[in-house]
Every structure is written in C-alpha cells, then in structure tokens.
Amino acid sequence: MEIPIKVTVNGEVYEHRVEPRMLLVTFLREVLGLTGTHVGCDTSSCGACTILMDGKAVKSCTLLAVQADGAELLTMEGLARNGELHPIQEGFWREHGLQCGFCTPGMIMAAYQLLEENASPDEKEIRRALEGNYCRCTGYHNIVKSVQYAAKKINR
Amino acid sequence: MYPAPFEYHRARSVDEALSLLSQYGEAAKLIAGGHSLLPMMKLRLATPAHVIDIRTIQGLQYIEDRGDYIAIGAGTPHAMIEQSELLRAKMPLLSQAAAVIGDPQIRNMGTIGGSLAHADPAADYPAAVLAAEAQLVATGESGERVIPVEEFFVDLFQTDLDEREILTEIRVPAISENTRCAYRKFPHPASRFAVVGCAAVVTMENNRCSDVRIAFTGVASTAFRDTGVEDALKAQPLTSQSIEKAAALAAENDELEIMEDHFATEDYRRHLAKVFARRTLNQIASAF
Ligand SMILES: Cc1cc2nc3c(=O)[nH]c(=O)nc-3n(C[C@H](O)[C@H](O)[C@H](O)COP(=O)(O)OP(=O)(O)OC[C@H]3O[C@@H](n4cnc5c(N)ncnc54)[C@H](O)[C@@H]3O)c2cc1C
Ligand code: FES
Ligand code: FES
C-alpha cells in the first residue's frame, strides 16, 4: 500500500505517495529526477549515495523513502547557488579531485558535513570523515586537497 | 535491490510501538537506524510484513547523568555517543567503541539499541557494555525490566529480549578517578566490523589492579568476558610484563567455541584476541 510522504529537498517541498519499500535513493533519482545522487554498491559500503538528512551525512541506499518523511534533505543539486559552484565543488574542479566522477557527489556531501562541523580539518580528520566513501579511480590524495581548498575558501 | 513488500508504521511513542508489536506479533519488526535490518531486508534474509519505525520517537535519544550511572536512550545514534562530553568524562569506553563503528554515515544512522538488540557477533558495543557492566532496560506492555548485561547476549543474533519488548535504555556505571578504559579492534578490511575487538576497564589501587574487566567481540557467537585474562591481572601491577602474561591467556577457555570463516581461522582469531588484549591493556597502562 502506498503511503503519502512529504520531504524538503534542497529547499523545495515535495509530496508524493510511495511504496514503503522504496529506497530513498530511488525516490530521489527516479521519482524526483535528481540523478546527482549515485548508486554504487547498493549495500551501504561505497558512499556514492551520500546525502544530508537533517544536516547529517547518510547513505540513501540504506534508508527507506518513508523514513525520510518530514525530513530536510540536501543533495548535490542543492549546492551551487545562482550558477556559482559551492566551494567544495570548486575545490574538486581546481584540485582535480575526480577522475571518472562517479564517487564525487558522495564525497562532496560527506565533506559538506565535515566542514559544517569542523571549519579547518587537518588531513587526518578529512580522511576519517571520508572513510565511508570509496573512489575506485583511487584519487584520494587529490580528494583530500580538494577539501582543503574548500576549507580555505570558506574560511576566507 | 528492493526489500519484499511490507506495511510501514511510524510509532510516535514507546507505548504506540508496543501496541503495534502486540497487534502484529511475529510478522512485525522494529526499525531504528535500519543499518542492520535494511541490508537484511534487501537480501530478503528478513521479510517482515510490518515494519514499525521507532527512530523518530521523542525521548529515546538522550545521554543523561544519573549520578551513579549514565543513562543512554536506546535510540541514541553512534555519532552522539562518540561525541558525548558526558560519556567521555564519565564512561569513555562507550565513546571509544562508538568511534570505530563503520564510518561517519553509519554512525549517523545506527543506534546503540539497534546494535545491542541485533547482537551481531562482530559488533563493537557488545564488548563495551559487557566490560562496562551495563544494565539494559527492556520495556514491555507490563512495564520495565532491568537486564544485567551478562544475561543479555544469548547466542548468535539472539538476546534475552522478548519479541514484544523494546530495549529502551542502557545504563553504564560511571568510572572512578583511578579507573581507565580502552577499546581496540581489528576491523575487517571490507565490512569494518570487528574480526576481534577487545574492551577493557581497569581500576588501580596502591599500584595494583583491584578490578579488571575484559570482554571480547568477534571471537565467538556472542561477546564474552574473559575471566582467564582478568584473574591473571588481579592484584598485579600493570606493567608490560604482567600484561604480556595475562594477554597470552586470552581466548583459551576450553568451553569457548571460536568462530571460523574465510577471513580468519580459529587459530588466527585466538591469536588476534591475545594481540588485542595486549594492545588494549597497554593503552590503559599508558593512560594512568
Ligand atoms: C556498512 C556497514 C558497516 C557497519 N560496521 C559496523 C561496525 O564496524 N561495528 C558495528 O558494531 N556495527 C557496524 N554496523 C552495524 C551498525 O552499527 C548498525 O547500525 C547497528 O548494528 C544496528 O543499529 P540500527 O539502529 O541501525 O538497528 P536496525 O537495523 O534498525 O535494527 C536492528 C535489529 O534490532 C531491532 N531493534 C532495533 N532497535 C530496537 C530496540 N530499541 N529494541 C528492540 N529491538 C530493536 C530491529 O527490530 C532489528 O531486528 C555496520 C553497518 C553497515 C551497514
Ligand atoms: S550505493 Fe549507497 S553506499 Fe554504495
Ligand atoms: S573518480 Fe572515479 S570513482 Fe572516484
């Protein structure tokens, strides 16, 4: 039986009826058409599906859409403002923090929570905050530099 | 991957969750963080017809100082336990264990109540609550029941909880000034669960160990206290020699059935237990 849910995504309110077993990531991608959130492993390991729910980084492949009823979500699409990249996005561009780009949305969302809580993380703290995100192109070094770039820019 | 179809109920209170549990009986499953249940449902290892969501119940997420003990609401996520100033000051073992669970995203969703009720043999909290000598509060339709932790873990994925009970609170005694604790684990390189995890709490009086509590997870079908190591340290000074001697006795109890899987053989797990007993105790010794 479908049930109604109401979620705020990137500041916009959406109301839909969903099957309880629908995963949150499927809701975002297939119902709302927000394909910036990726599905990598579908087993809560890789972090590609990371979004923010009520300010906390979570893996949306391991959440039901109905669990997010009433929540505020932030996805990749909500970061740029008026055509201007968010400092973390800019960092990944400037510092070559991506190769194929598949892991990038998840990396950026996980980094987003880190920088909200810790404005100037050191390398160890960045690596710990991104522990739940895999990059199969293994560009971790530049990913760390990208986050450092963003931290510097935000603090300026 | 989709779970099999089910009906979803969001409980607004513990009472409402209890009445839903009694209404749907065996067809129902509680969901807290969902980070053990949902992976199982996606693989269809669990196919509940009714899922009762307790994550958003007000008043299940808290960490409170009650004088002798710290009370932790069962719905408290790992991240909150990791970061709690109160726990870090009065019972750091729980924060130490929470800090090494999975990754930040897992710690944002997963709850202590869900982890304990699930009783995964490789989960981190079980060793910590055993060494902390915690008490667990289960709430059923007839009221509350306090379960001493040594009676809680029954077998692989089995606890003393009744199907119609909800774990509502975890009580951990505050440690004294002359007590130190530590949790160390060997994380599985892919899953991050503990291949072996060791929690220890040591109290010193006149430079000798007056109270020693050591618990392991990952080694057997449930977490357990290792009295062999504990007894070897009692009344001894805490030196690298005494630690070496005591740690060598880890996981040697004849009744212990050590797990074996494609990642770690029985011998390797026993070896890791000794190594992690030594590392955990050395960390404690250096904290005095
Ligand atoms: C990728 C990944 C890595 C992980 N790594 C680790 C790790 O390194 N160490 C570790 O310890 N854990 C790890 N976990 C497990 C994680 O900590 C889970 O969050 C936790 O075991 C279960 O908590 P939950 O709140 O998500 O419970 P849920 O999944 O919601 O529930 C689990 C079970 O407990 C029952 N339940 C939940 N709450 C209650 C309650 N209050 N009373 C009675 N029954 C209840 C449910 O009905 C269900 O059967 C990992 C999980 C994932 C997905
Ligand atoms: S797709 Fe969610 S963690 Fe990999
Ligand atoms: S850039 Fe390809 S997976 Fe990270």
Side-chain angles (χ1 to χ4, degrees), chain A residues 11-12 14 18 31-32 45 48 50 58 74-75 83 89 97 101 103 133:
Chain A
E12 247 182 85
Y14 296 89
V18 297
V31 179
L32 303 187
S45 304
T50 301
V58 296
L74 181 68
T75 71
Q89 292 173 302
C103 68
N133 294 75

Side-chain angles (χ1 to χ4, degrees), chain B residues 37-254:
Chain B
L37 184 61
L38 274 179
M40 286 177 61
M41 286 173 65
K42 287 167 89 175
L43 295 169
R44 313 255 169 146
L45 293 170
T47 51
H50 296 271
V51 170
I52 304 166
D53 193 349
I54 57 171
R55 187 178 68 91
T56 51
I57 292 180
Q58 298 280 326
L60 268 186
Q61 305 193 359
Y62 57 87
I63 302 170
E64 271 171 29
D65 194 345
R66 303 250 179 92
D68 285 352
Y69 65 88
I70 319 293
I72 307 172
T76 307
H78 311 331
M80 216 169 124
I81 292 173
E82 173 189 3
Q83 288 154 15
S84 162
E85 296 292 333
L86 179 62
L87 279 172
R88 285 186 187 188
K90 300 213 163 168
M91 190 23 163
L93 184 59
L94 275 282
S95 307
Q96 290 162 341
V100 292
I101 295 177
D103 56 52
Q105 290 95 318
I106 307 298
R107 295 194 289 273
N108 282 337
M109 281 306 295
T111 66
I112 185 166
S115 175
L116 295 176
H118 189 59
D120 191 303
D124 295 298
Y125 281 133
V129 291
L130 274 169
E133 292 188 333
Q135 299 210 307
L136 311 181
V137 183
T139 305
E141 288 211 298
S142 52
E144 284 186 355
R145 176 168 80 97
V146 178
I147 310 170
V149 71
E150 59 275 16
E151 291 169 19
F152 186 75
F153 301 107
V154 176
D155 205 347
L156 208 67
F157 301 110
Q158 269 181 46
T159 69
D160 188 49
L161 285 175
D162 186 82
E163 272 175 11
R164 294 187 184 182
E165 278 180 324
I166 299 179
L167 181 60
T168 44
E169 189 172 278
I170 294 88
R171 298 176 177 166
V172 284
I175 57 171
S176 62
E177 286 232 302
N178 48 349
T179 301
R180 300 286 182 279
C181 47
Y183 180 73
R184 297 287 292 260
K185 80 193 266 198
F186 183 79
H188 186 285
S191 79
R192 291 194 174 77
F193 273 92
V195 177
V196 166
C198 177
V201 180
V202 178
T203 305
M204 299 289 282
E205 261 164 50
N206 305 322
N207 284 324
R208 298 199 172 248
C209 302
S210 57
D211 186 30
V212 184
R213 295 179 244 145
I214 315 261
F216 285 104
T217 190
V219 177
S221 59
T222 70
F224 63 94
R225 288 270 296 266
D226 197 321
T227 47
V229 185
E230 293 179 356
D231 292 345
L233 273 177
K234 264 177 210 152
Q236 301 297 315
L238 198 60
T239 61
S240 50
Q241 291 89 329
S242 71
I243 289 173
E244 188 76 37
K245 244 170 127 181
L249 300 171
E252 288 292 355
N253 184 333
D254 289 341

